[in-house]
Amino acid sequence: MSDDLEDRIQAAIQNPQNIGEMSDADAVGTVGSESCGDMLRMWVKFKEENGRRVIDKATFQTFGCQTAIAVASVATELIRGKTSAEAIALTGGELAAPLGALPPMKIHCAQLVEGALKNALSGEPASEAPASAPTLLEQMSTPTGLKIKMQTPL
Ligand code: FES
């Protein structure tokens, strides 16, 4: 990993944005990576702005690596003000863009964030009510946890 990228990841995880559950979220999505076993959950809240329903705030929790934390931190800032359709169209690379290009072995970390966001927005309004959803730790320890197949690291 380049020094610049490592510096940006370190800066992001030293001051991560938007960590934590959101009790009044409109949508929530959880994914687990089959390649590394990490999990990430994202909560999304919408607001009306100029006649459009846009993302007001997004938060996350993860049992993931530093790169996943850094990507989730910048991604939750990046998607503010976007419609659900605009946000769901973003790739992991686009969500991680404020950090710079990720090396191939870290692409799946951004895909974890992309997967949680798509999972949340594709089911929106949330079929999984945030108030009744198991905690991320509880979901990790059950065999029914949501899984998506991630790109295998090189
Ligand atoms: Fe699992 Fe980064 S190593 S998300």
Side-chain angles (χ1 to χ4, degrees):
M1 213 175 335
S2 73
D3 288 347
D4 279 356
L5 177 59
E6 184 63 30
D7 289 347
R8 285 192 290 272
I9 288 174
Q10 288 303 319
I13 64 171
Q14 283 172 11
N15 186 27
Q17 304 298 302
N18 308 310
I19 285 186
E21 297 184 24
M22 190 192 306
S23 60
D24 61 344
D26 296 314
V28 59
T30 306
V31 292
S33 169
E34 290 183 353
S35 62
C36 67
D38 290 338
M39 291 190 74
L40 192 140
R41 176 170 292 170
M42 190 174 288
W43 290 262
V44 180
K45 181 81 179 164
F46 289 90
K47 68 177 179 182
E48 293 294 324
E49 187 177 85
N50 301 323
R52 297 183 346 140
R53 188 167 186 259
V54 299
I55 294 172
D56 181 32
K57 184 173 175 62
T59 65
F60 73 98
Q61 280 186 335
T62 186
F63 295 104
C65 69
Q66 293 185 343
T67 302
I69 295 168
V71 173
S73 176
V74 297
T76 50
E77 288 294 302
L78 187 75
I79 62 175
R80 279 181 197 253
K82 295 193 183 307
T83 65
S84 180
E86 290 168 344
I88 211 168
L90 294 171
T91 65
E94 289 168 333
L95 292 167
L99 298 172
L102 299 177
M105 66 187 205
K106 288 295 180 182
I107 289 174
H108 79 283
C109 311
Q111 289 175 328
L112 193 70
V113 177
E114 177 189 352
L117 180 62
K118 282 180 167 47
N119 185 269
L121 298 180
S122 63
E124 195 248 327
S127 57
E128 178 187 15
S132 63
T135 66
L136 191 54
L137 184 59
E138 288 168 345
Q139 189 156 358
M140 261 189 106
S141 61
T142 63
T144 57
L146 297 172
K147 299 273 187 205
I148 63 169
K149 188 164 179 57
M150 297 290 182
Q151 180 177 341
T152 305
L154 299 176

